[in-house]
Amino acid sequence: MNNTITEVAFEIDKPNARNRVFTRKAAENAIDKYRPSIENRRAMGELFVLRNENDSIDCGNMVNLANVSHIITKLDINASGQVTVVAEILETPSGKMFQKLMQTNKHKFSYRLIGSLVDEKIDEAEFIAIDLIIYPQQKPCDCSSIIKNEENND
């Protein structure tokens, strides 16, 4: 089983889900500040499983070690403005859960940060964590056989 995942976490100068824009300067500064944590293997992230893409999470400004699923090993901005994350999936309960769920469910990286906004642009920021988010792909349940079986037992 592959223990690393590489994906685009976000794009520079494009609105995120909350309609906020990460400027190149702010992203470069945030990555530079986060780099020592990456190099010292302290850049940990949590796994969150949401009901759907519109769900929100309140994960706070600290990493809960009980939910840690991965360590960020690389974080870079390419020429087209994509911020790419490489993460090592850990053998923790959350890491094992992610490995099982990632094959059949939509997932993405999501960043937590402390910073300032100017006109919905992230002006200055420091990463708290880069987390993994899973959106389970639920199929509608066909309950007709259950209903028919109950009708026959009356």
Side-chain angles (χ1 to χ4, degrees):
M1 187 178 301
N2 187 356
N3 287 333
T4 63
I5 182 172
T6 303
E7 291 189 6
V8 173
F10 61 95
E11 294 187 62
I12 302 298
D13 295 325
K14 291 193 178 181
N16 65 14
R18 294 184 176 182
N19 211 28
R20 295 181 180 153
V21 176
F22 224 129
T23 65
R24 179 172 284 277
K25 180 182 174 191
E28 287 172 348
N29 289 340
I31 290 169
D32 286 344
K33 290 177 190 174
Y34 202 52
R35 201 164 309 284
S37 293
I38 294 170
E39 291 167 356
N40 293 311
R41 295 184 57 81
R42 291 188 332 256
M44 294 177 268
E46 297 180 55
L47 173 66
F48 294 95
V49 180
L50 304 181
R51 290 184 302 262
N52 59 56
E53 289 185 57
N54 297 321
D55 254 358
S56 62
I57 54 175
D58 181 18
C59 43
N61 61 359
M62 292 177 56
V63 174
N64 181 344
L65 294 178
N67 297 332
V68 167
S69 59
H70 61 282
I71 294 177
I72 303 300
T73 59
K74 192 173 182 183
L75 185 62
D76 287 315
I77 304 172
N78 66 19
S80 63
Q82 294 178 322
V83 177
T84 303
V85 176
V86 179
E88 176 187 332
I89 307 303
L90 301 174
E91 290 295 318
T92 61
S94 291
K96 290 176 183 178
M97 182 186 303
F98 177 73
Q99 287 178 335
K100 288 180 183 175
L101 293 174
M102 74 178 282
Q103 302 303 318
T104 57
N105 294 282
K106 186 175 178 181
H107 61 275
K108 69 174 186 174
F109 282 106
S110 178
Y111 54 85
R112 274 190 273 168
L113 52 85
I114 296 173
S116 62
L117 286 174
V118 175
D119 297 324
E120 296 303 312
K121 289 189 178 183
I122 299 169
D123 184 50
E124 187 176 319
E126 285 188 45
F127 289 109
I128 295 168
I130 299 174
D131 299 309
L132 281 167
I133 310 294
I134 292 269
Y135 306 102
Q137 302 296 314
Q138 299 173 349
K139 296 179 182 172
C141 175
D142 178 14
C143 298
S144 60
S145 62
I146 296 170
I147 293 169
K148 287 177 188 175
N149 193 21
E150 285 183 2
E151 290 171 355
N152 292 339
N153 287 334
D154 286 342

